[in-house]
């Protein structure tokens, strides 16, 4: 029999979260960001589940977009990192992939006639990763026009949208608006998940919700449920052993936790080899029999220990929720000094994904 360690993927919650993004984006239109294997949930699985709710997908790279076409999904796909080889432009043209152009070498490939896919330009509004300088947008657009390529959209990415106290997002928005006003009939896109929750934030024409679709909070010091989001992944395992510890007994590698009183301990068959964060501190919560129980000792590759003192009825075989409906993944991430994005995308291949909810949504055609 296999281990009882699984990641349950709640597709109805996925659709719930995406519809929140659409509502908050309106009158802008949201596209579903499914990069990084659908944030660890399975790119084909989540894309199919959202197929009736979105008219556009966004991924990082060509390989991810190809998975969507192999799954029979026909919606346009935005390659947010663009292409990495000149020949990929022809593939993108044939497959109806929209290519983000952010660097001179990509511009040169297009000018050289390697392919004519739909193109968006990326402007560097202040994050200083990828993108053309604002002053260069007009020149770049003209060069593409001379090569017979129409620029269909322009985008940027925010550095601090998760921080409601930061003025950086307002500054980036101003730079973007100023540099793209007057470009005519062109799609403008700035909004990551966090931008959907910033009061008064201009969202322009297209938004790109990512982590919020999977139930994680995009805002600092707030958890997904506070924002009306539902957990899409429930990571769960079971108790496989219990032990009575005496005062002074230590648990785990490095003896990082020691009992200060007689303690009933439980062992859970999940560890960092499954993607649970090794750096989760003592006290990180799990959920057993309707009660929170604290992590004790260092997380091992295949196991971790919890204090069962407040759950006297807990026994071998009980289900343990590591994150999900009762334990927000954002809270576990905070206990491990990281973010929910890393935890969700870090669940390893040896953890089976088990779907719940209908696998495909129904497109009424009324809200795309």
């Amino acid at each position: 029999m296999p281990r009882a360690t699984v990641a349950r993927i709640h597709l109805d919650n996925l659709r719930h979260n995406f519809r929140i993004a659409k509502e908050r984006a309106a009158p802008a239109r949201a596209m579903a960001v499914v990069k990084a294997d659908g944030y660890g949930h399975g790119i084909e699985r989540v894309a199919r589940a959202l197929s009736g709710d979105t008219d556009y997908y966004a991924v990082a790279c060509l390989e991810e977009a190809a998975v969507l076409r192999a799954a029979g999904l026909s919606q346009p796909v935005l390659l947010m990192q663009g292409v990495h080889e000149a020949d990929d432009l022809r593939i993108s043209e044939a497959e109806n992939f929209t290519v983000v152009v952010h660097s001179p070498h990509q511009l040169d490939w297009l000018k050289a006639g390697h392919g004519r896919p739909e193109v968006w330009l990326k402007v560097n509004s202040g994050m200083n990763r990828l993108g053309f300088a604002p002053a260069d947008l007009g020149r770049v657009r003209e060069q593409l026009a001379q090569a017979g390529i129409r620029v269909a959209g322009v985008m940027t990415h925010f550095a601090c949208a998760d921080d409601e106290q930061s003025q950086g997002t307002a500054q980036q928005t101003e730079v973007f608006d100023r540099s793209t006003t007057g470009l005519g009939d062109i799609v403008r896109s700035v909004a990551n998940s966090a931008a959907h929750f910033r009061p008064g934030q201009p969202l322009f024409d297209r938004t790109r919700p990512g982590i919020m679709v999977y139930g994680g909070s995009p805002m600092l010091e707030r958890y997904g449920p506070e924002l009306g989001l539902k957990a899409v992944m429930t990571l769960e395992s079971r108790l496989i052993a219990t032990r009575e510890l005496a005062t002074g007994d230590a648990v785990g590698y490095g003896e990082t936790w020691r009992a200060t009183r007689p303690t009933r301990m439980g062992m859970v068959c999940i560890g960092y080899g499954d993607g649970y964060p090794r750096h989760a501190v003592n006290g990180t919560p799990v959920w057993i029999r309707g009660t929170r129980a604290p992590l004790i000792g260092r997380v091992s590759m295949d196991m971790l220990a919890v204090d069962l003192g407040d759950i006297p009825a807990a026994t071998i075989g009980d289900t343990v929720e590591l994150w999900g409906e009762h334990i927000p993944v954002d809270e576990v991430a905070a206990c491990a000094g990281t973010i929910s994005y890393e935890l969700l995308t870090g669940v390893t291949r040896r953890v089976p994904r088990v779907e719940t909810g209908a696998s495909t949504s129904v497109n009424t055609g009324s809200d795309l």
Side-chain angles (χ1 to χ4, degrees):
M1 293 290 291
R3 293 185 312 157
T5 301
V6 299
R8 301 196 184 278
I9 308 301
H10 307 284
L11 298 178
D12 290 339
N13 290 352
L14 178 83
R15 287 186 282 268
H16 165 86
N17 296 338
F18 186 69
R19 289 164 185 170
I20 286 179
K22 291 171 67 173
E23 291 168 3
R24 299 190 73 92
R29 300 168 77 182
M31 62 175 66
V33 180
V34 296
K35 64 178 182 174
D37 196 31
Y39 283 59
H41 296 69
I43 183 171
E44 182 176 341
R45 175 182 298 111
V46 301
R48 284 187 181 279
L50 294 173
S51 61
D53 287 286
T54 187
D55 63 343
Y56 224 124
Y57 295 108
V59 298
C61 56
L62 186 71
E63 294 86 345
E64 293 173 332
V67 173
L68 301 183
R69 288 292 179 264
L73 297 166
S74 60
Q75 290 96 324
V77 183
L78 181 70
L79 307 184
M80 293 189 290
Q81 211 171 84
V83 296
H84 298 278
E85 300 289 342
D87 289 344
D88 292 343
L89 291 170
R90 289 193 179 91
I91 299 173
S92 298
E93 181 180 6
E95 296 289 352
N96 194 24
F97 299 154
T98 301
V99 176
V100 172
V101 180
H102 55 73
S103 298
H105 69 277
Q106 295 173 326
L107 178 61
D108 290 341
W109 292 339
L110 287 162
K111 290 162 58 179
H114 287 281
R116 293 184 177 181
E118 180 172 275
V119 164
W120 283 22
L121 297 180
K122 187 163 191 177
V123 57
N124 177 18
S125 61
M127 192 171 186
N128 294 313
R129 294 194 309 184
L130 302 175
F132 294 101
D136 291 338
L137 281 184
R139 175 184 59 81
V140 171
R141 188 185 186 198
E142 179 59 29
Q143 290 179 14
L144 289 171
Q146 291 174 2
I149 298 171
R150 186 182 76 87
V151 175
V154 61
M155 65 178 288
T156 196
H157 193 67
F158 291 142
C160 299
D162 59 341
D163 184 355
E164 297 178 87
Q165 305 305 313
S166 172
Q167 298 302 308
T169 303
Q171 295 167 1
Q172 283 191 261
T173 302
E174 181 181 356
V175 169
F176 179 84
D177 191 25
R178 185 171 62 248
S179 63
T180 58
T181 296
L183 290 181
D185 183 18
I186 195 168
V187 174
R188 297 195 291 173
S189 176
V190 300
N192 56 6
S193 288
H196 290 73
F197 295 97
R198 294 181 66 91
Q201 171 63 42
L203 300 181
F204 296 93
D205 303 309
R206 279 278 185 185
T207 69
R208 310 186 306 273
I211 190 63
M212 68 175 292
V213 178
Y214 305 93
S217 171
M219 308 304 290
L220 291 179
E221 300 180 355
R222 301 181 72 182
Y223 297 159
E226 298 176 54
L227 304 174
L229 305 174
K230 296 182 178 181
V232 177
M233 179 189 290
T234 296
L235 183 65
E236 67 179 43
S237 189
R238 287 184 185 172
L239 289 176
I240 59 170
T242 62
R243 181 182 299 276
E244 300 295 333
L245 301 175
T247 301
D249 283 349
V251 173
Y253 290 116
E255 300 182 345
T256 60
W257 182 90
R258 193 175 296 276
T260 59
R261 54 174 171 76
T263 301
R264 185 163 181 255
M265 179 193 73
M267 294 303 303
V268 186
C269 59
I270 191 169
Y272 63 79
D274 302 292
Y276 191 84
R278 180 177 180 273
H279 297 294
V281 298
N282 290 320
T284 301
V286 304
W287 186 262
I288 306 172
R289 290 194 172 219
T291 302
R292 285 181 168 229
L295 178 74
I296 57 176
R298 186 175 293 168
V299 175
S300 304
M301 182 180 289
D302 310 306
M303 291 180 285
L304 56 80
V306 295
D307 182 344
L308 298 176
D310 292 333
I311 317 173
T315 188
I316 293 171
D318 279 353
T319 298
V320 180
E321 178 188 303
L322 288 305
W323 64 66
E325 178 185 0
H326 305 99
I327 305 294
V329 65
D330 305 298
E331 183 175 2
V332 179
C335 291
T338 186
I339 55 177
S340 59
Y341 307 66
E342 182 178 16
L343 297 192
L344 294 174
T345 60
V347 176
T348 65
R349 293 180 62 183
R350 79 171 178 178
V351 179
R353 273 63 165 177
V354 178
E355 294 181 15
T356 68
S359 60
T360 305
S361 57
V362 177
N363 180 5
T364 65
S366 62
D367 58 355
L368 293 180

